Amino acid sequence: MERPKQKQMNQNENETDAAINGHFDSRVKMPGWSAGGAAGDPSTVSSPSVMESWREERTRSLEDNEMSLPSIAAAYTTILRGLGEDPQRQGLLKTPWRAATAMQFFTKGYQEKIIDVLNDAIFDEDHDEMVIVKDIDMFSMCEHHLVPIFGRVHIGYLPNKRVLGLSKLARIVEIYSRRLQVQERLTKQIAVAITEALKPAGVGVVVEATHMCMVMRGVQKMNSKTVTSTMLGVFREDPKTRDEFLTLIRS
């Protein structure tokens, strides 16, 4: 990844798309298709720095977890006192450590890299029909309120001579969902990671989720669900392909 070039891209917001955890994309450009140009137009091919960004994502290590655990636990102790509780009473004695450990697990996606799970699971295969894995369970944390987001993810892609081990699609979901998130970004990150890893003809991702920040607080709408989608390549450009994907995930 060419970091000087990436930095320069970030500084000019009028000429580049927004950065999403290392992925520069508002409409990911892939070889052979474009948002407005003709298929095969060289100007629509993503730069190497964008297409390789999935290789450098880890921001936290296991060693970091061990070092930061006491400070996170101390922060929870402060929170308990601020709420009017006594951290020394029997039921709360170990709560700060439990909560700190749980929060590290809820955000363990920061210590994982896509390349670690995909390297040995990309296979050359002469298959050009749609591949779909739907109803993938997803648990995440709202970055605005630090409360859970949970739901299902549906993924489809149109292979371009390469396929991915099916369980790896679920692993990609796990890596990105186990972070502080907003659903819109999570949806796009999943789609971009698959695009960068496989170079498929197209990718579609749909996420249906319940946000506890809307259920437990605020408007308190118990039955509300949020649906987001990202369509790339032929899934975006060809209505028939998109409709086939949406029909199959609803069946």
Side-chain angles (χ1 to χ4, degrees), residues 78-95:
T78 301
I79 291 172
L80 289 172
R81 288 199 181 99
L83 294 175
E85 269 289 358
D86 176 13
Q88 298 304 311
R89 71 177 177 86
Q90 185 180 24
L92 294 177
L93 278 175
K94 295 184 178 180
T95 295

Side-chain angles (χ1 to χ4, degrees), residues 15 64 127 131 140 170 178 233 237 248:
E15 296 180 2
D64 292 333
H127 181 76
V131 177
S140 191
R178 293 295 187 175
E237 302 297 329
L248 288 172

Side-chain angles (χ1 to χ4, degrees), residues 6-20:
Q6 176 180 324
K7 183 177 180 181
Q8 182 179 1
M9 292 171 68
N10 282 341
Q11 289 174 343
N12 192 339
E13 294 180 354
N14 293 326
E15 296 180 2
T16 62
D17 298 320
I20 305 178

Side-chain angles (χ1 to χ4, degrees), residues 72-217:
I72 298 174
Y76 275 112
T77 299
T78 301
I79 291 172
L80 289 172
R81 288 199 181 99
L83 294 175
E85 269 289 358
D86 176 13
Q88 298 304 311
R89 71 177 177 86
Q90 185 180 24
L92 294 177
L93 278 175
K94 295 184 178 180
T95 295
W97 286 93
R98 292 190 186 107
T101 303
M103 185 59 73
Q104 287 184 338
F105 178 81
F106 296 154
T107 60
K108 67 186 180 71
Y110 289 121
Q111 64 198 46
E112 298 175 316
K113 292 176 67 174
I114 297 293
I115 192 172
D116 292 339
V117 301
L118 298 192
N119 253 359
D120 61 348
I122 298 176
F123 308 101
D124 295 329
E125 191 68 40
D126 188 19
H127 181 76
D128 57 2
E129 297 295 333
M130 194 177 299
V131 177
I132 295 176
V133 177
K134 65 178 186 176
D135 297 326
I136 301 170
D137 291 332
M138 178 275 295
F139 298 93
S140 191
M141 295 287 288
C142 168
E143 68 178 30
H144 301 143
H145 303 97
L146 299 185
V147 294
I149 303 170
F150 60 92
R152 300 178 300 168
V153 180
H154 315 292
I155 300 173
Y157 71 94
L158 203 60
N160 184 18
K161 306 300 182 182
R162 296 201 300 176
V163 297
L164 182 64
L166 296 178
S167 67
K168 304 306 180 182
L169 295 173
R171 289 292 301 275
I172 291 174
V173 172
E174 184 76 359
I175 288 174
Y176 284 117
S177 64
R178 293 295 187 175
R179 302 179 181 188
L180 302 183
Q181 280 287 12
V182 295
Q183 185 173 327
E184 298 88 341
R185 182 173 66 230
L186 170 63
T187 308
K188 185 167 289 187
Q189 285 177 325
I190 295 168
V192 172
I194 297 168
T195 297
E196 293 178 346
L198 285 181
K199 313 290 193 300
V203 174
V205 177
V206 174
V207 178
E208 307 172 58
T210 297
H211 293 241
M212 297 309 290
C213 56
M214 288 184 63
V215 173
M216 294 179 65
R217 58 163 298 283

